[in-house]
Amino acid sequence: MDIRTVIDGLVAEAEGQIRDQVWVLTQADRTVATKAAADLEAAVGAPQSQQALPDVERLAHLREALAAIAIALAHVHGRLAWFLGAAATALTPVLHWRALPAPDGGPTFGTVTPAPKQYTEAEDAVRRLQRALAGIATA
């Protein structure tokens, strides 16, 4: 299952919990969601601008997004923490990607070079997560 599919599932679950009032949002949830949404939007821009970048920059932006999720996670508890933790887990493949060739063909600590499609899927997943967090912020 690709990153985007996992994030779509998490977002659907979160939206359902909010709609069914299983997850009652607090002001702290909204505040953290607002900041996280802004940070994700800053990290991964519009599809056209991202795709025009070299792979090393695209990967750096995806790692920035993952860092933003981790920082948000450090500031909350309960359902928002669980949601952000699951989102961070879904994005962990990004940590195993490399955009640079292995020097001298040597070991790379188990990293792999992702296909261009994988960058796009991960970026789309971050955008989906950003929209969900923006929705949480205003719910």
Side-chain angles (χ1 to χ4, degrees):
M1 192 176 312
D2 68 39
I3 295 169
R4 183 173 40 200
T5 302
V6 174
I7 294 294
D8 282 343
L10 292 172
V11 169
E13 182 179 352
E15 290 171 345
Q17 287 185 20
I18 292 166
R19 180 184 57 251
D20 297 342
Q21 296 183 352
V22 171
W23 179 1
V24 178
L25 296 167
T26 66
Q27 186 56 46
D29 289 340
R30 288 183 180 90
T31 300
V32 170
T34 298
K35 173 86 168 89
D39 291 346
L40 292 179
E41 186 173 22
V44 177
Q48 302 81 2
S49 62
Q50 285 300 118
Q51 291 174 0
L53 296 173
D55 288 349
V56 71
E57 289 185 42
R58 290 178 81 179
L59 182 54
H61 290 183
L62 286 167
R63 289 177 180 160
E64 287 174 29
L66 188 53
I69 295 166
I71 291 167
L73 175 59
H75 291 76
V76 292
H77 302 284
R79 293 189 190 277
L80 183 56
W82 304 336
F83 174 65
L84 292 170
T89 299
L91 286 163
T92 58
V94 168
L95 298 175
H96 301 283
W97 293 354
R98 63 179 158 78
L100 301 174
D104 303 321
T108 62
F109 300 98
T111 60
V112 297
T113 305
K117 177 182 175 185
Q118 289 175 288
Y119 283 112
T120 301
E121 289 172 349
E123 291 160 352
D124 288 347
V126 169
R127 287 185 202 96
R128 177 69 177 108
L129 183 59
Q130 182 276 326
R131 289 190 305 274
L133 288 166
I136 287 170
T138 60

